């Protein structure tokens, strides 16, 4: 037991939880906390904007599997975290967000920089706490980390008023937990296991549909073993990329499915007689027209969150639980010889040959797929890749083959522009020594471009690969397809000089505009020991295809 103030308790509690790195920005109501950080062993990364701090914590979490931590002051500092909290919530990323608050005696008086961050973030967090006394600090921080990382992971907010930070108390370390109604250890229901086994054993055209839950549960190896043993092809969601190696020699990897999915992945789902969905919530961007999705298939849905069962797609059999635990139970229960899938896999191989992922070329100009495939070649597919949101995101998902889990980070549910760059910074701290690249569009990069300065100050070795088409490309594409080429506010009348911006902030900048410049330019950037930016000029008219138009079924794709 040690006497200390509340701010020191917050820091000590973080250290006791095994935290090494936090991302944040100081302000009036967290001065006490930052004073405590001055003497701490914690590695605090001073960001330029609180939203970027939340995305960096998110990126750290997705790469490491451990909760990321961000800190902000009250009022505008706290509200700036909200977009990052919502991003983590929709993608089930564990995060602990610590906010300052005005003194308890001032709450509700509209004091300077007071905002009800608990109320404002309530629909967007897994849980939230407001600490009322210094003696509550350690237990609250411990509970926050437990909730963030157990069950279906998510963000937890801890609001700490200024007088609680200043107040003195006894620091007692305890791991005791006492929750009313929260029992993640009970999230397991395999009562329909026999029905699932029977469907799989008799399936002639089975497909595994792997989502982000496979990666979060550490079930990738189990998934690989299961798919190989029973020769079942694997499709993934956007967040499931890496759950099954996309260059696996078995040929069972069909790639990402959905609105911009690989043709063979979409056709496999639509032609299957049994779909084994693992850790996927059947988002609208993945299923296309839900009434016509896999109409002839029996669907087995495996998910940790029972609320996801039948929420979007009606299932025939469900198994509730952690993906790794359920896969183990499923593998143990599979005793009989199952149907031969050779003909089905040969059919899918033919589909893949007849309908490859489109690779359009542009005379004298760099095609987006050339950037991703060259980057994959140069990094041997081992880089951690983050994406911004828009066309750049979909090109990365289509053309960069991900061979292992936690190496592809993207904002899936919320589609947050500005996520990818700071998320890459968080990833760099989670996996020091590994190549980390951010695929960005010029629109998204501008959302948090100020963090180039942070990269320079800390020499964070993030490589930003900018696919620059001088427009808001994804919206422009929709305007081309659905709004008669009426490009309202998507094409710029001038374009920033991103190389000069990078260099002004202390980051080496490179550019490439012709195909013959691409490889050498990327090699130079990757050789930089610290951060670097590559401005790659691509055609403004380059499209993300295939594309399933809204309202259409997955097998109705536009490829040209």
């Amino acid at each position: 037991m040690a006497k200390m103030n509340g701010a020191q308790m917050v820091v000590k509690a973080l250290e006791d939880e095994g935290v090494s790195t936090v991302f944040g920005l100081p302000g009036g109501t967290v001065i006490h906390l930052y004073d405590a950080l001055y003497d701490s062993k914690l590695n605090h990364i001073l960001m330029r904007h609180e939203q970027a701090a939340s995305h960096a914590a998110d990126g750290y979490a997705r790469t490491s599997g451990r909760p990321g931590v961000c800190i902000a002051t009250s009022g505008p500092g706290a509200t700036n975290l909200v977009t990052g909290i919502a991003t983590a919530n929709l993608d089930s990323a564990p995060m602990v967000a610590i906010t300052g608050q005005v003194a308890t005696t001032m709450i509700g008086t509209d004091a300077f920089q007071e905002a009800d961050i608990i109320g404002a973030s309530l629909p967007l967090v897994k849980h939230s706490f407001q600490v009322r006394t210094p003696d509550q600090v350690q237990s609250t921080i411990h509970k926050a980390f437990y909730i963030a990382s157990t069950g279906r992971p998510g963000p937890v907010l801890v609001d700490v008023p200024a007088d609680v930070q200043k107040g003195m108390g006894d620091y007692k370390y305890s791991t005791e937990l006492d929750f009313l109604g929260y029992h993640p250890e009970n999230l397991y229901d395999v009562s329909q296991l026999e029905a699932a086994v029977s469907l799989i054993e008799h399936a002639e055209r089975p497909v595994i549909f792997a989502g982000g839950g496979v990666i979060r549960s550490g079930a990738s190896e189990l998934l690989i073993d299961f798919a190989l043993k029973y020769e079942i092809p694997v499709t993934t969601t956007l967040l499931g990329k890496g759950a099954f190696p996309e260059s696996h020699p078995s040929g069972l990897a069909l790639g990402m499915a959905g609105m911009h999915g690989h043709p063979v992945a979409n056709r496999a789902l639509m032609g299957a007689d049994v779909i084994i969905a693992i850790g996927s919530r059947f988002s609208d961007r993945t299923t296309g027209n839900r009434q016509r999705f896999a109409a002839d298939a029996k669907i087995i849905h495996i998910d940790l969150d029972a609320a996801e069962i039948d929420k979007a797609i009606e299932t025939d059999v469900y198994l509730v639980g952690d993906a790794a635990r359920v896969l183990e139970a499923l593998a143990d229960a599979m005793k009989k010889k199952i149907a031969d899938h050779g003909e089905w896999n040969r059919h899918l191989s033919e589909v893949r040959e007849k309908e490859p992922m489109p690779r359009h070329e542009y005379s004298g100009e760099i095609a987006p797929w050339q950037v991703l495939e060259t980057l994959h070649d140069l990094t041997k597919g081992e880089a951690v890749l983050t994406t911004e949101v828009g066309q750049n995101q979909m090109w990365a998902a289509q053309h960069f083959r991900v061979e292992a889990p936690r190496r592809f980070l993207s904002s899936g549910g919320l589609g947050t522009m500005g996520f990818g760059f700071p998320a890459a910074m968080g990833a760099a701290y989670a996996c020091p020594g590994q190549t980390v690249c951010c695929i960005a569009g010029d629109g998204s990069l501008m959302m948090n471009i100020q963090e180039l300065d942070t990269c320079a100050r800390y020499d964070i070795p993030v490589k930003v690969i900018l696919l620059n088409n001088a427009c808001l490309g994804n919206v422009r594409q929709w305007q081309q397809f659905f709004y008669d080429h009426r490009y309202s506010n998507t094409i710029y009348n001038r374009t920033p000089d991103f190389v000069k911006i990078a260099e002004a902030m202390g980051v080496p900048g490179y550019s490439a505009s012709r195909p013959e410049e691409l490889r050498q330019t990327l090699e130079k950037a990757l050789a930089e020991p610290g951060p670097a930016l590559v401005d790659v000029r691509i055609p403004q008219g380059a499209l993300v295809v295939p594309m399933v138009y809204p309202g259409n079924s997955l097998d109705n794709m536009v490829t040209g």
Side-chain angles (χ1 to χ4, degrees), residues 41-59:
K41 296 177 182 177
L42 292 175
N43 181 26
H44 178 276
I45 308 304
L46 176 62
M47 306 295 285
R48 283 296 192 175
H49 195 284
E50 291 90 354
Q51 181 184 342
S54 63
H55 292 324
D58 187 341

Side-chain angles (χ1 to χ4, degrees), residues 319-364:
L319 303 170
V320 175
D322 176 82
R325 188 178 177 187
V326 174
L327 269 173
E328 285 180 337
L330 194 58
D332 289 343
M334 296 278 292
K335 303 298 183 185
K336 297 179 183 177
K337 180 177 175 61
I338 67 173
D340 178 60
H341 302 143
E343 185 178 343
W344 172 233
N345 284 314
R346 283 190 292 275
H347 167 71
L348 294 176
S349 294
E350 292 172 1
V351 171
R352 181 164 28 207
E353 190 173 330
K354 291 178 182 176
E355 295 184 271
M357 181 64 74
R359 286 172 170 80
H360 298 293
E361 295 190 11
Y362 306 87
S363 179

Side-chain angles (χ1 to χ4, degrees), residues 213-253:
V214 174
I215 293 171
R216 283 189 293 275
S217 71
S220 293
E221 288 299 325
L222 290 167
L223 171 66
I224 293 168
D225 291 345
F226 189 84
L228 293 179
K229 183 175 182 179
Y230 299 110
E231 297 184 307
I232 302 176
V234 181
T235 65
T236 74
T237 66
L238 175 69
L239 298 187
K241 278 178 67 70
F244 190 93
E246 294 190 295
S247 298
H248 198 279
S250 66
L252 293 175

Side-chain angles (χ1 to χ4, degrees), residues 66-81:
R66 303 185 300 274
V69 181
C70 55
I71 301 173
T73 193
S74 64
T79 57
N80 279 344
L81 291 179

